[in-house]
Amino acid sequence: MTEPVEVSLPHAVALSWGIAERPERGPKRELSIERIVESAIDIADVEGLSAVSMSRVATSLGFTTMSLYRYVTSKDDLLLLMQDQALDMPIPPEATGAGQSDAGWRLQLREWVLLTRQTYLSHPWYAEIPVSGLLLTPMNLRLVDWGVRCLAPTGLSGSDKLAIVLLAGATRVRAVAVCPSSRAARNSRWRCANSSPRNGFRTCGR
């Protein structure tokens, strides 16, 4: 009889699924993985990915850097959690009837492309995070599953549908990475953040 093989998930993947061990004690329990990731995304949206660091996120939340490491053990883990959270979007239910027709699946796939493209444009830093291997986090898998469902009426094999979705996703991410409008949007957010009354109407670079 073959003994079962125990598979160990990367720590960040386990965190994203909520199955990693969380600290029993923390700073007044006011800190959480969700707050850490949200703060990191806010920083990246305004200032770019290079501005994200464990110490910067900790400062924005009013905690010490060591406090963050109780929840997220490395910056690489934080980046993966940021990727996953950025893909949190409403997924439409599986199509029936007319949605299963030739024209229907094309419209569904177009919706999939437009919504995911908008996500990448809203978070231009997403394309700057290196990807090694398959992303096994929940939001990413939901997005892939949606794309594969769109192709259900085509008669393609499962592997072909998955290949199309993954290739389309990689192409979109690369397109956003080199898109001048996405960089301009990020620069605009940076200027706005640095000219707010809270920041004393500072100009960028001063």
Side-chain angles (χ1 to χ4, degrees), residues 40 43 49-59 65 68 75 78:
I43 293 170
L49 192 63
S50 61
V52 176
S53 67
M54 299 294 278
S55 60
R56 176 65 188 282
V57 174
T59 300
T65 305
L68 259 65
K75 183 179 176 180
L78 177 59

Side-chain angles (χ1 to χ4, degrees), residues 22-23 25-37 39 57-58 60-72:
R22 300 204 178 197
R25 293 179 299 173
K28 300 181 181 179
R29 294 189 179 274
E30 295 175 356
L31 199 55
S32 67
I33 293 174
E34 292 76 18
R35 285 193 64 198
I36 293 170
V37 174
S39 177
V57 174
S60 71
L61 293 169
F63 290 93
T64 65
T65 305
M66 290 307 297
S67 298
L68 259 65
Y69 283 110
R70 295 178 58 84
Y71 295 83
V72 181

Side-chain angles (χ1 to χ4, degrees), residues 36-187:
I36 293 170
V37 174
E38 181 181 356
S39 177
I41 289 177
D42 288 343
I43 293 170
D45 283 347
V46 174
E47 302 177 40
L49 192 63
S50 61
V52 176
S53 67
M54 299 294 278
S55 60
R56 176 65 188 282
V57 174
T59 300
S60 71
L61 293 169
F63 290 93
T64 65
T65 305
M66 290 307 297
S67 298
L68 259 65
Y69 283 110
R70 295 178 58 84
Y71 295 83
V72 181
T73 56
S74 70
K75 183 179 176 180
D76 286 343
D77 285 357
L78 177 59
L79 293 178
L80 190 144
L81 292 171
M82 289 169 63
Q83 274 187 322
D84 189 57
Q85 184 58 38
L87 295 177
D88 186 9
M89 65 179 74
I91 304 295
E94 188 169 359
T96 58
Q100 294 291 319
S101 66
D102 182 66
W105 74 258
R106 293 175 186 275
L107 290 175
Q108 290 181 66
L109 193 60
R110 182 176 186 276
E111 181 183 10
W112 178 79
V113 169
L114 291 177
L115 282 178
T116 53
R117 177 178 179 271
Q118 184 55 50
T119 296
Y120 300 143
L121 288 173
S122 299
H123 307 291
W125 49 265
Y126 187 100
E128 299 174 27
I129 299 178
V131 177
S132 57
L134 290 175
L135 292 178
L136 302 176
T137 52
M139 299 304 173
N140 186 75
L141 291 181
R142 285 175 70 242
L143 188 63
V144 171
D145 178 69
W146 176 22
V148 170
R149 284 198 284 111
C150 292
L151 295 169
T154 62
L156 294 171
S157 67
S159 59
D160 284 344
K161 286 183 285 190
L162 181 60
I164 290 172
V165 169
L166 294 178
L167 179 60
T171 303
R172 285 195 316 280
V173 170
R174 179 56 186 162
V176 170
V178 299
C179 177
S181 62
S182 66
R183 292 196 298 269
R186 188 179 66 196
N187 292 337

Side-chain angles (χ1 to χ4, degrees), residues 189-205:
R189 287 194 293 268
W190 164 254
R191 286 193 297 271
C192 288
N194 283 272
S195 352
S196 66
R198 183 182 61 185
N199 290 320
F201 294 97
R202 288 185 288 115
T203 20
C204 184

